[in-house]
Amino acid sequence: MNSENKSHGLTHLLDQPDAEEEVLVVDFDNLSVINAVASNVSEWGFRLTSPDIGELYKNIGVRPKDASKLVKAHVTSVKGNDAAVVFAKSEKSVSDKRREKRNNVSIPVKIADLDGITEISGTIVDAGKNGCRITAKGLTALPEEVLLTMKKFERPVVAEFAWRNDTSAGMRLLWDRTLEQDDDHGDDDETDVISETDTEESQSV
């Protein structure tokens, strides 16, 4: 466990949205080296922020503070000074650490930006309390934070991309976020519903 933590270097930031750390980033494609801040670390990947983020291409290595090894990763999208990054071969061992139960489902979902200007249709194929995997076309056209609308829910769920490509994406569900100022609903009940009711629905498909 300890050796794995050292090799990944970012494990101590896992599932802490407000935690961040300065890192050194090496681009294996063009040999650029930049300083950046890693944040929003999940089981799939993390966010890199730097004014030099545009120098990165796809295949990178990230060295956190006091780490002796690089964390291999892939840049999936860049917006402004931020890059969405997914773990490379190491993502399996990070995923193995996840204690959350995931369910194979097939649930129709609408994915839209927070203003509702751009909306695409997709399918949730893997769901848990804190995250899900979605297949859809045009995912790279959406901003980092989106709204997920499902038939089983009375209101949209705010989510953010952990990683994505043109046809699929890993999402983190932000249950503590709401678009309503006077939100008195019980979020704990909803988090249990997404994997349980949706599993029942997928079994009937």
Side-chain angles (χ1 to χ4, degrees):
M1 191 76 166
N2 290 335
S3 62
E4 219 173 292
N5 283 342
K6 289 181 180 179
S7 64
H8 285 295
L10 296 171
T11 310
H12 62 289
L13 302 178
L14 189 65
D15 293 328
Q16 300 180 63
D18 296 328
E20 59 182 36
E21 183 171 305
E22 292 183 3
V23 295
L24 185 71
V25 185
V26 179
D27 187 291
F28 297 134
D29 297 320
N30 61 13
L31 300 183
S32 294
V33 179
I34 69 170
N35 292 306
V37 174
S39 61
N40 200 33
V41 179
S42 71
E43 64 266 30
W44 298 296
F46 52 99
R47 177 190 299 137
L48 283 176
T49 303
S50 170
D52 301 317
I53 208 74
E55 295 185 21
L56 301 181
Y57 282 80
K58 180 179 180 182
N59 301 298
I60 62 172
V62 179
R63 192 184 78 173
K65 285 183 177 180
D66 303 323
S68 59
K69 295 182 180 180
L70 294 172
V71 178
K72 290 184 179 180
H74 300 308
V75 175
T76 58
S77 65
V78 174
K79 182 178 181 182
N81 291 335
D82 295 327
V85 179
V86 60
F87 290 111
K89 293 181 180 180
S90 60
E91 66 182 70
K92 182 179 185 299
S93 57
V94 174
S95 180
D96 289 343
K97 292 174 177 292
R98 184 178 61 207
R99 297 179 181 177
E100 173 182 295
K101 180 183 177 182
R102 284 293 182 90
N103 299 287
N104 293 324
V105 297
S106 180
I107 310 302
V109 62
K110 298 286 188 182
I111 311 109
D113 60 76
L114 300 185
D115 295 324
I117 298 174
T118 302
E119 181 181 276
I120 62 176
S121 298
T123 303
I124 296 177
V125 295
D126 180 64
K129 178 180 288 189
N130 297 309
C132 64
R133 185 160 58 91
I134 288 175
T135 59
K137 292 183 179 180
L139 290 168
T140 54
L142 293 168
E144 190 161 339
E145 288 192 352
V146 294
L147 292 176
L148 304 182
T149 303
M150 292 159 280
K151 186 170 63 175
K152 290 285 185 178
F153 288 83
E154 295 181 359
R155 58 195 174 119
V157 177
V158 181
E160 64 183 357
F161 289 101
W163 61 267
R164 59 176 148 170
N165 54 42
D166 289 337
T167 58
S168 62
M171 310 292 300
R172 172 184 285 172
L173 304 176
L174 306 178
W175 296 107
D176 57 338
R177 288 282 305 279
T178 176
L179 298 182
E180 301 173 3
Q181 294 297 324
D182 54 345
D183 179 21
D184 295 323
H185 297 290
D187 285 343
D188 290 340
D189 293 338
E190 285 189 334
T191 58
D192 292 332
V193 168
I194 189 169
S195 57
E196 294 175 3
T197 61
D198 289 353
T199 301
E200 294 173 2
E201 181 176 323
S202 64
Q203 290 173 347
S204 65
V205 174

